[in-house]
Amino acid sequence: MLAGAALTGAAPAGAVSDTGRIASGVTYRQFDVTAAKGTVHAHLLTVDLTDPHVHVDLLHPGAVAARSPVSTMADTAGAVAGVNGDFFNITETQHPGVEVTGASVGPAIAHGRLLKAAVPTAQRFGPSLPPGTDTTEVLGVGVDRRARLDRLTLVGTVRTPDGNLALRGLNQYALAQDSVGAYTAAWGSASRKRATCGSDTSRAAGCSTDTYEVRIRGGRVVDTATSPGGGAIAAGTTVLLGREAGADKLRELAKGERVTVRRQLVASAAKVPYRFAVGGYPVLRGGEPLAGLDDTTTAVRTAAGYTSGGRKLLLLALDGAVAYRSGLTIAEVAGEMRRLGAVDAFSLDGGGSTTLVARTPGDDAVSVLNHPTESPERPVANGIGVFSTP
């Protein structure tokens, strides 16, 4: 049994000790990191993906356009541990009256099932990306149980009686200008209005008034609308939403016409399918920090990395207690992940989102092991769940 922590400002009393076994193939430890702006406290989960009892998967609240605390998602899914995941649509102060969707920025795959694709890079939330990266970046684990950094790009087609249209979005809170995107039951019940706001160069740009929706069921057009809708989408139904030139293409479709929607996420590197993937951005490749990493702005951070050819996963979350809130720069995150042995590493959402949870052996629920900077625990779009079976 793991004992309570003794370090002030570390894990909550009664949770775990400085070092401990969470489950077969899953260990936890906490430690201090000396940084440029002061000492920070770190919490680390190490996951042995060679252990047949262990796997990782996406934690999510049951819909793309929804949020939930990491602890709630972990307990609902039966995870023994986890951290928060991707950056997400957290505010709409730039578009008054538009519903905040809570949807994540990057691609997402759960249980081998495609949930969503990446929003346009200019429409992302989060700190500036390192040069040469974009919103299609993912950390994933393939069906071969190996972790990888990769890019997942949506390739999709809308086949109509008059020809094929390019599908440029799937369950996204933002669509490219002049494009058509698809929404399925996985999206949830949030309004799709946000998808028509912003531009290819600015998240703050206004919302388009040139929009059109088409509802597809049983391979045929069953309904149309001149503006984005909301509410749950029935299983087996796809809503196509177009803006500008994309809206013009959808207006050509009439009720009863046959329409087929095909979509997939194509990996730039992996040769095997992904069981799990989450968005963020890389900070370390081949043991070397990416060029141009921010070495000025500090914050509480969450990161993931791997070593041993992708067979050992490292999940790092900083503590948000006041004594440690000076945080790390992204460049320092890359350096710390390398010090921990990671060959490749990936930045996840930080600040008030940074949360690490684990279930002490014998307990029925997880505990939050770091101190998030927000109280109560911030609801987030998704996370990385660690699962262990007897």
Side-chain angles (χ1 to χ4, degrees):
M1 182 66 68
L2 300 174
L7 180 62
T8 301
V16 297
S17 62
D18 291 352
T19 303
R21 178 181 182 272
I22 300 299
S24 177
V26 185
T27 59
Y28 163 82
R29 68 184 178 100
Q30 52 180 307
F31 52 92
D32 286 342
V33 177
T34 302
K37 293 190 177 180
T39 298
V40 300
H41 196 66
H43 302 257
L44 179 71
L45 291 168
T46 301
V47 184
D48 181 3
L49 296 176
T50 67
D51 189 317
H53 301 285
V54 174
H55 73 275
V56 297
D57 211 330
L58 190 74
L59 298 177
H60 65 100
V64 169
R67 295 195 293 158
S68 183
V70 175
S71 58
T72 300
M73 293 190 289
D75 284 337
T76 300
V80 297
V83 298
N84 65 288
D86 197 2
F87 303 87
F88 57 93
N89 174 206
I90 191 172
T91 179
E92 280 305 324
T93 56
Q94 296 167 323
H95 305 109
V98 174
E99 179 181 352
V100 177
T101 67
S104 61
V105 168
I109 294 175
H111 321 304
R113 182 170 67 96
L114 166 59
L115 292 182
K116 69 176 298 291
V119 303
T121 298
Q123 293 250 38
R124 67 181 292 274
F125 286 79
S128 298
L129 290 173
T133 65
D134 60 33
T135 53
T136 66
E137 311 281 353
V138 295
L139 168 75
V141 175
V143 295
D144 59 354
R145 299 175 59 84
R146 294 180 61 181
R148 296 175 175 84
L149 298 189
D150 208 339
R151 288 182 174 180
L152 293 177
T153 303
L154 178 67
V155 175
T157 302
V158 179
R159 183 176 298 173
T160 78
D162 296 323
N164 294 339
L165 308 178
L167 184 71
R168 296 183 60 194
L170 176 65
N171 293 330
Q172 297 169 201
Y173 71 76
L175 295 175
Q177 291 175 265
D178 298 307
S179 71
V180 172
Y183 294 81
T184 68
W187 169 253
S189 59
S191 168
R192 296 176 290 277
K193 172 70 174 178
R194 174 59 184 84
T196 63
C197 301
S199 72
D200 294 348
T201 57
S202 172
R203 193 181 75 201
C207 302
S208 176
T209 58
D210 186 6
T211 64
Y212 201 74
E213 278 197 345
V214 172
R215 190 172 295 264
I216 311 297
R217 187 167 59 245
R220 292 186 182 275
V221 176
V222 296
D223 199 9
T224 62
T226 58
S227 59
I233 299 172
T237 297
T238 299
V239 175
L240 297 177
L241 172 59
R243 55 179 297 183
E244 297 93 35
D248 289 340
K249 292 293 185 181
L250 294 183
R251 289 187 186 99
E252 297 174 3
L253 299 176
K255 288 184 180 180
E257 285 190 320
R258 284 199 169 276
V259 176
T260 303
V261 181
R262 302 185 185 279
R263 71 269 185 177
Q264 62 177 326
L265 287 180
V266 177
S268 66
K271 304 301 181 185
V272 300
Y274 281 102
R275 173 185 174 85
F276 146 79
V278 66
Y281 59 89
V283 297
L284 189 71
R285 287 190 193 276
E288 295 297 327
L290 270 67
L293 293 181
D294 180 9
D295 61 359
T296 303
T297 306
T298 61
V300 175
R301 309 281 186 181
T302 307
Y306 55 82
T307 186
S308 304
R311 301 196 182 279
K312 181 176 289 186
L313 184 66
L314 307 174
L315 302 176
L316 178 77
L318 300 186
D319 204 284
V322 174
Y324 305 114
R325 206 168 287 180
S326 55
L328 298 176
T329 67
I330 290 299
E332 287 176 324
V333 169
E336 181 60 23
M337 293 302 290
R338 181 169 61 177
R339 189 190 69 79
L340 292 170
V343 175
D344 295 335
F346 200 67
S347 178
L348 300 165
D349 193 9
S353 297
T354 291
T355 311
L356 185 146
V357 304
R359 189 196 319 156
T360 301
D363 284 354
D364 295 328
V366 299
S367 297
V368 179
L369 302 190
N370 71 327
H371 289 89
T373 61
E374 292 188 6
S375 181
E377 184 185 345
R378 175 188 283 179
V380 297
N382 56 33
I384 300 175
V386 182
F387 299 82
S388 180
T389 57

